[in-house]
Amino acid sequence: MLDGVSLIEGAELEEILATYAFPFEPDLDGAYLARLFQFCRDQYLFFPWYRRTRAGRRDGGLGSAEDLHAWVTEVMKASTTYHLNYRAAFKWPADRRLSLIQCPTLVTAATNDPLYDASVRLAPLLPNGRFLELPRFDDPTFRAVRHDAMAAFFAGHS
């Protein structure tokens, strides 16, 4: 199961690696907590999160306070290592590696996911995979549709 697949190369990859994700090292004045919160919040609003411009603006709006809290909490648990996952995902050459995955694979992406176009384009590279479009992140049915799609996929491949 792959939720959003990216392919970032060249200058765009260099910019993302130089700017996107870094450890949030704890400090005694708690400033890292404000930076961590802004990092999570701004991912709802911009892509990439640091491109706080009209061109970088996403149209889904801010998630619920509960969702933002959950995300902040998860990043805080790994504040000094979370960035390693982002960097690995950004550097992974999906166009060259997806064809090596032989097991049944479902690729999903919400229609307003910044990774939607890449996911649609890359999913056919999976020899035993398919793409499933999910509703927008801010659609009230998003969670249920994603849950049901995952449950059906795993029930059919267990």
Side-chain angles (χ1 to χ4, degrees), residues 51-137:
R51 195 169 292 146
R52 296 178 185 105
T53 63
R54 182 175 303 278
R57 189 172 56 196
R58 296 179 64 191
D59 72 347
L62 194 56
S64 70
E66 294 79 15
D67 286 348
L68 182 56
H69 171 76
W71 192 357
V72 166
T73 300
E74 289 305 310
V75 173
M76 193 180 313
K77 287 178 189 177
S79 67
T80 61
T81 59
Y82 82 94
H83 68 291
L84 300 173
N85 295 326
Y86 279 87
R87 296 174 75 75
F90 291 141
K91 292 191 291 186
W92 194 64
D95 59 338
R96 297 190 308 271
R97 303 298 294 175
L98 284 173
S99 65
L100 302 174
I101 300 172
Q102 298 299 312
C103 64
T105 306
L106 177 65
V107 177
T108 63
T111 57
N112 64 333
D113 186 329
L115 303 179
Y116 178 87
D117 291 340
S119 297
V120 169
R121 187 175 70 252
L122 293 166
L125 299 177
L126 290 157
N128 195 10
R130 66 183 178 92
F131 175 79
L132 177 68
E133 178 180 289
L134 298 177
R136 294 170 53 91
F137 290 125

Coordinates of all heavy atoms in Angstrom, one line a residue, residues 51-137:
R51 N 7.1 27.3 1.1 CA 6.8 28.3 0.0 C 5.5 28.9 0.3 O 4.4 28.6 -0.2 CB 6.7 27.5 -1.3 CG 6.8 28.5 -2.5 CD 7.0 27.7 -3.8 NE 8.3 27.2 -3.9 CZ 8.6 26.0 -4.5 NH1 7.7 25.3 -5.1 NH2 9.9 25.6 -4.5
R52 N 5.5 29.9 1.2 CA 4.3 30.5 1.7 C 3.9 31.7 0.8 O 3.9 32.9 1.2 CB 4.6 31.1 3.1 CG 4.8 30.0 4.1 CD 5.1 30.5 5.5 NE 5.5 29.5 6.5 CZ 6.7 29.3 6.9 NH1 7.7 30.0 6.5 NH2 7.0 28.4 7.8
T53 N 3.6 31.3 -0.5 CA 3.3 32.3 -1.5 C 2.0 31.8 -2.1 O 1.5 30.7 -1.9 CB 4.3 32.3 -2.6 OG1 4.4 31.0 -3.2 CG2 5.7 32.7 -2.0
R54 N 1.4 32.7 -3.0 CA 0.2 32.3 -3.7 C 0.4 31.1 -4.5 O -0.4 30.2 -4.6 CB -0.3 33.5 -4.5 CG -1.6 33.2 -5.3 CD -2.1 34.4 -6.0 NE -2.4 35.5 -5.2 CZ -3.5 35.8 -4.5 NH1 -4.4 34.9 -4.5 NH2 -3.6 36.9 -3.7
A55 N 1.6 31.0 -5.2 CA 1.9 29.9 -6.1 C 2.0 28.6 -5.3 O 1.7 27.5 -5.8 CB 3.2 30.2 -6.9
G56 N 2.5 28.7 -4.0 CA 2.7 27.5 -3.2 C 1.4 27.1 -2.4 O 1.4 26.1 -1.7
R57 N 0.4 27.9 -2.5 CA -0.8 27.7 -1.6 C -1.6 26.5 -2.1 O -1.8 26.3 -3.3 CB -1.7 28.9 -1.7 CG -2.8 28.9 -0.7 CD -3.6 30.1 -0.6 NE -4.1 30.5 -2.0 CZ -4.5 31.7 -2.3 NH1 -4.5 32.7 -1.5 NH2 -4.9 31.9 -3.5
R58 N -2.0 25.7 -1.1 CA -2.9 24.5 -1.4 C -4.3 25.0 -1.1 O -4.5 25.9 -0.3 CB -2.5 23.4 -0.4 CG -1.1 22.8 -0.7 CD -0.7 21.7 0.2 NE -1.6 20.6 -0.1 CZ -1.7 19.5 0.7 NH1 -0.9 19.4 1.8 NH2 -2.5 18.5 0.5
D59 N -5.2 24.3 -1.7 CA -6.6 24.8 -1.6 C -7.5 24.0 -0.6 O -8.7 24.3 -0.5 CB -7.3 24.9 -2.9 CG -7.6 23.5 -3.5 OD1 -7.1 22.5 -2.9 OD2 -8.3 23.4 -4.5
G60 N -6.9 23.2 0.2 CA -7.7 22.4 1.1 C -8.0 23.0 2.5 O -8.8 22.5 3.2
G61 N -7.3 24.1 2.8 CA -7.4 24.7 4.1 C -6.8 23.9 5.2 O -6.1 22.9 5.0
L62 N -6.9 24.4 6.4 CA -6.3 23.8 7.6 C -7.2 22.6 8.0 O -8.4 22.7 8.0 CB -6.2 24.9 8.6 CG -5.4 24.6 9.8 CD1 -4.0 24.3 9.4 CD2 -5.4 25.8 10.7
G63 N -6.6 21.6 8.4 CA -7.3 20.4 9.0 C -7.9 20.8 10.4 O -7.7 21.9 10.9
S64 N -8.6 19.8 10.9 CA -9.2 20.0 12.3 C -8.1 20.2 13.3 O -6.9 19.8 13.1 CB -10.1 18.9 12.6 OG -9.3 17.7 12.9
A65 N -8.4 20.8 14.4 CA -7.5 21.0 15.5 C -7.0 19.6 16.0 O -5.8 19.4 16.4 CB -8.2 21.7 16.7
E66 N -7.9 18.6 16.0 CA -7.5 17.3 16.5 C -6.5 16.6 15.5 O -5.6 16.0 16.0 CB -8.8 16.4 16.6 CG -9.8 16.8 17.7 CD -10.7 18.0 17.3 OE1 -10.7 18.3 16.0 OE2 -11.2 18.6 18.2
D67 N -6.7 16.8 14.2 CA -5.8 16.2 13.3 C -4.4 16.9 13.4 O -3.4 16.2 13.3 CB -6.3 16.3 11.8 CG -7.4 15.3 11.5 OD1 -7.7 14.4 12.3 OD2 -8.1 15.5 10.5
L68 N -4.4 18.2 13.5 CA -3.2 18.9 13.6 C -2.4 18.5 14.9 O -1.2 18.3 14.9 CB -3.4 20.4 13.6 CG -2.2 21.3 13.6 CD1 -1.2 21.0 12.5 CD2 -2.6 22.8 13.5
H69 N -3.2 18.4 16.0 CA -2.6 18.0 17.3 C -1.9 16.6 17.1 O -0.8 16.3 17.6 CB -3.6 17.9 18.4 CG -3.1 17.3 19.6 ND1 -2.3 17.9 20.5 CD2 -3.4 16.1 20.1 CE1 -2.0 17.1 21.5 NE2 -2.7 16.0 21.3
A70 N -2.7 15.6 16.5 CA -2.1 14.3 16.3 C -0.9 14.3 15.5 O 0.1 13.6 15.8 CB -3.2 13.4 15.6
W71 N -0.8 15.1 14.4 CA 0.3 15.2 13.5 C 1.5 15.8 14.3 O 2.6 15.3 14.3 CB 0.0 16.0 12.3 CG 1.1 15.9 11.2 CD1 2.2 15.3 11.2 CD2 1.0 16.5 10.0 NE1 2.9 15.4 10.0 CE2 2.1 16.2 9.2 CE3 0.0 17.3 9.3 CZ2 2.4 16.7 8.0 CZ3 0.3 17.8 8.1 CH2 1.4 17.4 7.4
V72 N 1.3 16.9 15.0 CA 2.3 17.5 15.8 C 2.9 16.6 16.8 O 4.1 16.5 17.0 CB 1.8 18.8 16.5 CG1 2.7 19.3 17.5 CG2 1.5 19.9 15.4
T73 N 2.0 15.8 17.5 CA 2.4 14.9 18.5 C 3.3 13.8 17.9 O 4.4 13.4 18.4 CB 1.2 14.2 19.1 OG1 0.4 15.2 19.8 CG2 1.6 13.2 20.2
E74 N 3.0 13.3 16.7 CA 3.8 12.2 16.0 C 5.1 12.8 15.6 O 6.2 12.1 15.8 CB 3.0 11.7 14.8 CG 1.9 10.8 15.2 CD 2.2 9.7 16.2 OE1 3.2 8.9 15.9 OE2 1.5 9.5 17.2
V75 N 5.2 14.0 15.1 CA 6.5 14.6 14.7 C 7.3 14.9 16.0 O 8.5 14.6 16.0 CB 6.3 15.8 13.9 CG1 7.6 16.5 13.6 CG2 5.6 15.5 12.5
M76 N 6.6 15.3 17.0 CA 7.4 15.6 18.3 C 8.0 14.3 18.9 O 9.1 14.4 19.4 CB 6.4 16.2 19.3 CG 7.2 16.8 20.5 SD 6.1 17.6 21.7 CE 5.0 18.5 20.7
K77 N 7.3 13.2 18.7 CA 7.9 11.9 19.2 C 9.3 11.6 18.6 O 10.1 11.0 19.2 CB 6.9 10.8 19.0 CG 5.7 10.8 19.9 CD 4.8 9.6 19.5 CE 3.5 9.6 20.1 NZ 2.7 8.5 19.6
A78 N 9.4 12.0 17.4 CA 10.7 11.7 16.6 C 11.3 13.0 16.2 O 11.8 13.1 15.0 CB 10.3 10.8 15.4
S79 N 11.3 14.0 17.0 CA 11.7 15.4 16.6 C 13.1 15.5 16.0 O 13.3 16.3 15.2 CB 11.5 16.4 17.7 OG 12.5 16.1 18.8
T80 N 13.9 14.6 16.4 CA 15.3 14.6 15.9 C 15.6 13.7 14.8 O 16.7 13.7 14.2 CB 16.3 14.4 17.1 OG1 16.1 13.1 17.6 CG2 16.2 15.5 18.1
T81 N 14.6 12.8 14.5 CA 14.8 11.8 13.4 C 13.7 11.8 12.3 O 13.9 11.1 11.3 CB 14.9 10.4 14.0 OG1 13.7 10.1 14.7 CG2 16.2 10.3 14.9
Y82 N 12.6 12.4 12.5 CA 11.5 12.3 11.6 C 11.9 12.7 10.2 O 11.4 12.2 9.2 CB 10.3 13.3 12.0 CG 10.6 14.7 11.6 CD1 10.1 15.1 10.3 CD2 11.4 15.5 12.3 CE1 10.4 16.4 9.9 CE2 11.7 16.7 11.8 CZ 11.2 17.2 10.6 OH 11.6 18.4 10.1
H83 N 12.8 13.6 10.1 CA 13.3 14.2 8.8 C 13.9 13.1 7.9 O 13.9 13.2 6.7 CB 14.2 15.3 9.0 CG 15.5 14.9 9.6 ND1 15.7 14.5 10.9 CD2 16.8 14.9 9.0 CE1 16.9 14.2 11.1 NE2 17.6 14.4 10.0
L84 N 14.5 12.1 8.5 CA 15.1 11.0 7.7 C 14.1 10.3 6.8 O 14.5 10.0 5.7 CB 15.8 10.0 8.7 CG 16.9 10.6 9.6 CD1 17.4 9.6 10.6 CD2 18.0 11.2 8.8
N85 N 12.9 10.1 7.2 CA 11.9 9.5 6.4 C 11.5 10.4 5.2 O 11.4 9.9 4.1 CB 10.6 9.2 7.2 CG 10.8 8.2 8.3 OD1 11.6 7.3 8.1 ND2 10.2 8.4 9.4
Y86 N 11.3 11.7 5.5 CA 11.0 12.6 4.4 C 12.2 12.6 3.3 O 11.9 12.5 2.1 CB 10.9 14.1 4.9 CG 9.6 14.4 5.5 CD1 9.3 14.1 6.9 CD2 8.6 15.0 4.8 CE1 8.1 14.4 7.4 CE2 7.4 15.3 5.3 CZ 7.1 15.0 6.6 OH 5.9 15.4 7.2
R87 N 13.4 12.7 3.8 CA 14.5 12.8 2.9 C 14.6 11.5 2.1 O 14.9 11.5 0.9 CB 15.8 13.1 3.7 CG 15.8 14.5 4.3 CD 17.0 14.7 5.2 NE 18.1 15.0 4.5 CZ 18.4 16.1 3.8 NH1 17.5 17.1 3.9 NH2 19.5 16.3 3.2
A88 N 14.4 10.3 2.7 CA 14.5 9.1 2.0 C 13.4 9.0 0.9 O 13.6 8.6 -0.2 CB 14.3 7.9 2.9
A89 N 12.2 9.4 1.2 CA 11.1 9.4 0.3 C 11.4 10.4 -0.9 O 11.1 10.0 -2.1 CB 9.8 9.8 1.0
F90 N 11.9 11.6 -0.6 CA 12.2 12.5 -1.7 C 13.3 12.0 -2.6 O 13.3 12.2 -3.8 CB 12.7 13.9 -1.1 CG 11.6 14.6 -0.4 CD1 11.9 15.3 0.8 CD2 10.3 14.7 -0.9 CE1 10.9 16.1 1.4 CE2 9.3 15.4 -0.3 CZ 9.6 16.1 0.9
K91 N 14.3 11.3 -2.1 CA 15.4 10.8 -2.9 C 15.1 9.5 -3.6 O 15.8 9.1 -4.5 CB 16.7 10.6 -2.0 CG 17.2 11.9 -1.5 CD 18.6 11.8 -0.9 CE 18.6 11.0 0.4 NZ 19.9 11.0 1.1
W92 N 14.0 8.8 -3.2 CA 13.8 7.4 -3.8 C 13.4 7.6 -5.3 O 12.5 8.3 -5.6 CB 12.7 6.8 -3.0 CG 12.5 5.3 -3.3 CD1 13.4 4.3 -3.0 CD2 11.4 4.7 -3.9 NE1 13.0 3.1 -3.4 CE2 11.7 3.3 -3.9 CE3 10.2 5.1 -4.4 CZ2 10.9 2.4 -4.5 CZ3 9.3 4.2 -4.9 CH2 9.7 2.8 -5.0
P93 N 14.1 6.9 -6.1 CA 13.9 7.0 -7.6 C 12.7 6.1 -8.0 O 12.9 5.0 -8.6 CB 15.2 6.5 -8.2 CG 15.7 5.5 -7.2 CD 15.3 6.1 -5.9
A94 N 11.5 6.5 -7.7 CA 10.3 5.7 -8.0 C 10.2 5.2 -9.4 O 9.8 4.1 -9.6 CB 9.0 6.5 -7.6
D95 N 10.6 6.0 -10.4 CA 10.5 5.6 -11.8 C 11.4 4.4 -12.1 O 11.2 3.7 -13.0 CB 10.8 6.8 -12.7 CG 12.2 7.4 -12.5 OD1 12.8 7.2 -11.4 OD2 12.6 8.0 -13.4
R96 N 12.4 4.2 -11.3 CA 13.3 3.1 -11.5 C 13.1 1.9 -10.5 O 13.6 0.8 -10.8 CB 14.8 3.5 -11.4 CG 15.1 4.6 -12.5 CD 16.6 4.9 -12.6 NE 17.3 5.2 -11.3 CZ 17.3 6.5 -10.8 NH1 16.8 7.5 -11.5 NH2 18.0 6.7 -9.7
R97 N 12.4 2.1 -9.5 CA 12.3 1.1 -8.4 C 10.9 0.4 -8.4 O 10.8 -0.7 -7.9 CB 12.6 1.7 -7.1 CG 14.0 2.3 -7.0 CD 15.2 1.4 -7.2 NE 15.2 0.4 -6.1 CZ 16.0 -0.6 -6.1 NH1 16.9 -0.8 -7.1 NH2 16.0 -1.4 -5.1
L98 N 9.9 1.1 -8.8 CA 8.5 0.6 -8.6 C 8.4 -0.7 -9.4 O 7.7 -1.6 -8.9 CB 7.5 1.6 -9.1 CG 7.2 2.7 -8.1 CD1 6.2 3.7 -8.8 CD2 6.6 2.2 -6.8
S99 N 9.0 -0.9 -10.5 CA 8.8 -2.1 -11.3 C 9.4 -3.3 -10.6 O 9.1 -4.4 -11.0 CB 9.5 -1.9 -12.7 OG 10.9 -1.7 -12.6
L100 N 10.2 -3.1 -9.6 CA 10.8 -4.2 -8.9 C 9.9 -4.8 -7.8 O 10.1 -5.9 -7.3 CB 12.1 -3.8 -8.2 CG 13.2 -3.2 -9.2 CD1 14.4 -2.7 -8.4 CD2 13.6 -4.3 -10.2
I101 N 8.8 -4.1 -7.5 CA 7.8 -4.5 -6.5 C 6.9 -5.5 -7.2 O 6.1 -5.2 -8.0 CB 7.1 -3.3 -5.9 CG1 8.0 -2.4 -5.2 CG2 6.0 -3.8 -4.9 CD1 7.4 -1.1 -4.8
Q102 N 7.0 -6.8 -6.7 CA 6.2 -7.8 -7.4 C 4.9 -8.1 -6.7 O 4.0 -8.7 -7.3 CB 7.0 -9.1 -7.5 CG 8.3 -8.9 -8.3 CD 8.0 -8.6 -9.7 OE1 7.1 -9.2 -10.4 NE2 8.6 -7.6 -10.3
C103 N 4.7 -7.8 -5.4 CA 3.5 -8.1 -4.7 C 2.4 -7.2 -5.1 O 2.6 -6.1 -5.6 CB 3.8 -8.0 -3.2 SG 4.2 -6.3 -2.6
P104 N 1.1 -7.6 -4.9 CA 0.0 -6.7 -5.2 C 0.2 -5.4 -4.4 O 0.5 -5.4 -3.2 CB -1.2 -7.5 -4.6 CG -0.8 -8.9 -4.6 CD 0.7 -8.9 -4.3
T105 N 0.0 -4.3 -5.1 CA 0.2 -3.0 -4.5 C -0.9 -2.0 -4.9 O -1.3 -2.0 -6.1 CB 1.5 -2.4 -5.0 OG1 2.6 -3.3 -4.7 CG2 1.9 -1.1 -4.3
L106 N -1.4 -1.3 -3.9 CA -2.4 -0.3 -4.2 C -1.8 1.1 -3.9 O -1.2 1.3 -2.9 CB -3.6 -0.5 -3.3 CG -4.7 0.6 -3.4 CD1 -5.4 0.5 -4.7 CD2 -5.8 0.4 -2.3
V107 N -1.9 1.9 -4.9 CA -1.4 3.3 -4.8 C -2.6 4.2 -4.7 O -3.6 4.1 -5.5 CB -0.6 3.7 -6.0 CG1 -0.1 5.2 -5.9 CG2 0.6 2.8 -6.2
T108 N -2.6 5.0 -3.6 CA -3.7 6.0 -3.5 C -3.2 7.4 -3.4 O -2.0 7.6 -3.0 CB -4.5 5.7 -2.2 OG1 -3.7 5.8 -1.0 CG2 -5.1 4.3 -2.2
A109 N -4.1 8.3 -3.7 CA -3.8 9.8 -3.5 C -5.1 10.5 -3.5 O -6.0 10.2 -4.3 CB -2.8 10.3 -4.5
A110 N -5.2 11.5 -2.6 CA -6.4 12.3 -2.6 C -6.2 13.3 -3.8 O -5.1 13.6 -4.2 CB -6.4 13.1 -1.3
T111 N -7.4 13.7 -4.3 CA -7.3 14.6 -5.5 C -6.6 15.9 -5.3 O -6.1 16.5 -6.2 CB -8.7 14.8 -6.1 OG1 -9.5 15.4 -5.1 CG2 -9.4 13.5 -6.6
N112 N -6.5 16.3 -4.0 CA -5.8 17.6 -3.8 C -4.5 17.3 -3.0 O -3.9 18.2 -2.4 CB -6.7 18.6 -3.0 CG -7.0 18.1 -1.6 OD1 -7.1 16.9 -1.3 ND2 -7.3 19.0 -0.7
D113 N -3.9 16.1 -3.2 CA -2.6 15.8 -2.6 C -1.6 16.3 -3.6 O -1.7 16.1 -4.8 CB -2.5 14.3 -2.5 CG -1.2 13.8 -1.9 OD1 -0.2 14.5 -2.0 OD2 -1.3 12.7 -1.2
P114 N -0.5 17.0 -3.1 CA 0.5 17.5 -4.0 C 1.2 16.3 -4.8 O 1.8 16.6 -5.8 CB 1.5 18.2 -3.1 CG 0.8 18.5 -1.9 CD -0.3 17.4 -1.7
L115 N 1.0 15.1 -4.3 CA 1.7 13.9 -4.9 C 0.7 13.2 -5.9 O 1.0 12.2 -6.5 CB 2.2 13.0 -3.9 CG 3.2 13.5 -2.9 CD1 3.6 12.4 -1.9 CD2 4.4 14.1 -3.6
Y116 N -0.5 13.8 -6.1 CA -1.5 13.1 -6.9 C -1.0 12.8 -8.3 O -1.1 11.7 -8.8 CB -2.8 13.9 -6.9 CG -3.9 13.3 -7.8 CD1 -4.8 12.4 -7.3 CD2 -4.0 13.7 -9.2 CE1 -5.7 11.8 -8.1 CE2 -5.0 13.1 -10.0 CZ -5.8 12.2 -9.4 OH -6.8 11.6 -10.2
D117 N -0.6 13.9 -9.0 CA -0.2 13.7 -10.4 C 1.0 12.7 -10.6 O 0.9 11.8 -11.5 CB 0.3 15.0 -11.0 CG -0.9 16.0 -11.2 OD1 -2.1 15.5 -11.3 OD2 -0.6 17.2 -11.3
A118 N 1.9 12.7 -9.7 CA 3.0 11.8 -9.7 C 2.5 10.4 -9.4 O 3.0 9.4 -10.1 CB 4.1 12.2 -8.8
S119 N 1.6 10.2 -8.5 CA 1.1 8.9 -8.2 C 0.3 8.3 -9.4 O 0.5 7.1 -9.7 CB 0.1 9.0 -7.0 OG 0.8 9.5 -5.8
V120 N -0.5 9.1 -10.0 CA -1.2 8.6 -11.2 C -0.2 8.2 -12.3 O -0.4 7.1 -12.9 CB -2.2 9.7 -11.8 CG1 -2.7 9.3 -13.1 CG2 -3.3 9.9 -10.8
R121 N 0.8 9.0 -12.5 CA 1.8 8.7 -13.6 C 2.7 7.5 -13.3 O 3.0 6.8 -14.1 CB 2.7 10.0 -13.8 CG 3.6 9.9 -14.9 CD 4.4 11.2 -15.1 NE 5.4 11.5 -14.1 CZ 5.2 12.4 -13.1 NH1 4.2 13.2 -13.1 NH2 6.2 12.5 -12.2
L122 N 3.0 7.3 -12.0 CA 3.9 6.2 -11.6 C 3.3 4.9 -11.3 O 3.9 3.9 -11.4 CB 4.8 6.7 -10.4 CG 5.7 7.9 -10.7 CD1 6.2 8.5 -9.4 CD2 6.9 7.4 -11.5
A123 N 2.0 4.9 -10.9 CA 1.4 3.6 -10.5 C 1.4 2.6 -11.6 O 1.6 1.4 -11.3 CB -0.1 3.9 -10.1
P124 N 1.3 2.9 -12.9 CA 1.3 1.9 -13.9 C 2.7 1.2 -14.0 O 2.8 0.1 -14.7 CB 1.0 2.6 -15.2 CG 0.3 3.8 -14.8 CD 0.8 4.2 -13.4
L125 N 3.7 1.7 -13.4 CA 5.0 1.0 -13.4 C 5.0 -0.2 -12.5 O 5.9 -1.1 -12.6 CB 6.1 2.0 -12.9 CG 6.3 3.2 -13.8 CD1 7.4 4.1 -13.2 CD2 6.7 2.8 -15.2
L126 N 4.0 -0.4 -11.6 CA 4.0 -1.5 -10.8 C 3.4 -2.7 -11.6 O 2.3 -2.6 -12.1 CB 3.0 -1.2 -9.6 CG 3.6 -0.3 -8.6 CD1 2.4 0.4 -7.8 CD2 4.5 -1.0 -7.6
P127 N 4.1 -3.8 -11.6 CA 3.6 -5.0 -12.4 C 2.3 -5.6 -11.9 O 1.6 -6.1 -12.6 CB 4.8 -6.0 -12.3 CG 5.8 -5.5 -11.3 CD 5.4 -4.0 -11.0
N128 N 2.1 -5.4 -10.6 CA 0.9 -6.0 -10.0 C 0.2 -4.9 -9.1 O -0.2 -5.2 -8.0 CB 1.3 -7.2 -9.2 CG 0.1 -8.1 -8.8 OD1 -1.0 -7.9 -9.3 ND2 0.3 -9.0 -7.9
G129 N 0.1 -3.7 -9.7 CA -0.4 -2.6 -8.9 C -1.5 -1.9 -9.6 O -1.8 -2.1 -10.8
R130 N -2.2 -1.0 -8.9 CA -3.2 -0.2 -9.5 C -3.3 1.1 -8.6 O -2.9 1.2 -7.5 CB -4.6 -0.9 -9.5 CG -5.2 -1.2 -8.2 CD -6.5 -2.0 -8.3 NE -7.1 -2.3 -7.1 CZ -7.9 -1.6 -6.4 NH1 -8.4 -0.4 -6.9 NH2 -8.4 -2.0 -5.2
F131 N -3.9 2.1 -9.2 CA -4.1 3.4 -8.6 C -5.6 3.5 -8.2 O -6.5 3.2 -9.0 CB -3.7 4.5 -9.5 CG -4.0 5.9 -8.9 CD1 -3.2 6.4 -8.0 CD2 -5.1 6.6 -9.3 CE1 -3.4 7.7 -7.4 CE2 -5.4 7.8 -8.7 CZ -4.6 8.4 -7.8
L132 N -5.8 4.1 -7.0 CA -7.2 4.4 -6.6 C -7.2 5.9 -6.2 O -6.5 6.3 -5.3 CB -7.6 3.5 -5.4 CG -9.0 3.9 -4.9 CD1 -10.1 3.5 -5.9 CD2 -9.2 3.1 -3.6
E133 N -8.0 6.7 -6.8 CA -8.2 8.1 -6.5 C -9.1 8.2 -5.2 O -10.1 7.6 -5.2 CB -8.9 8.8 -7.6 CG -9.1 10.3 -7.4 CD -9.8 10.9 -8.6 OE1 -9.1 11.1 -9.6 OE2 -11.0 11.2 -8.5
L134 N -8.6 9.0 -4.3 CA -9.4 9.2 -3.1 C -10.0 10.6 -3.2 O -9.4 11.5 -3.9 CB -8.5 9.2 -1.8 CG -7.8 7.8 -1.6 CD1 -6.9 7.9 -0.4 CD2 -8.9 6.7 -1.3
P135 N -11.0 10.9 -2.4 CA -11.6 12.3 -2.4 C -10.6 13.2 -1.8 O -9.6 12.8 -1.1 CB -12.8 12.1 -1.5 CG -12.8 10.8 -0.9 CD -11.8 10.0 -1.6
R136 N -10.8 14.5 -1.9 CA -10.0 15.5 -1.3 C -9.8 15.3 0.2 O -10.7 14.7 0.8 CB -10.7 16.9 -1.5 CG -10.8 17.4 -2.9 CD -11.7 18.6 -3.0 NE -11.2 19.6 -2.1 CZ -10.3 20.6 -2.4 NH1 -9.9 20.7 -3.6 NH2 -10.0 21.5 -1.5
F137 N -8.7 15.7 0.7 CA -8.4 15.5 2.1 C -9.5 16.2 3.0 O -9.8 15.7 4.1 CB -7.1 16.2 2.5 CG -5.9 15.5 2.0 CD1 -4.9 16.1 1.2 CD2 -5.6 14.1 2.3 CE1 -3.8 15.5 0.8 CE2 -4.5 13.5 1.8 CZ -3.6 14.2 1.1

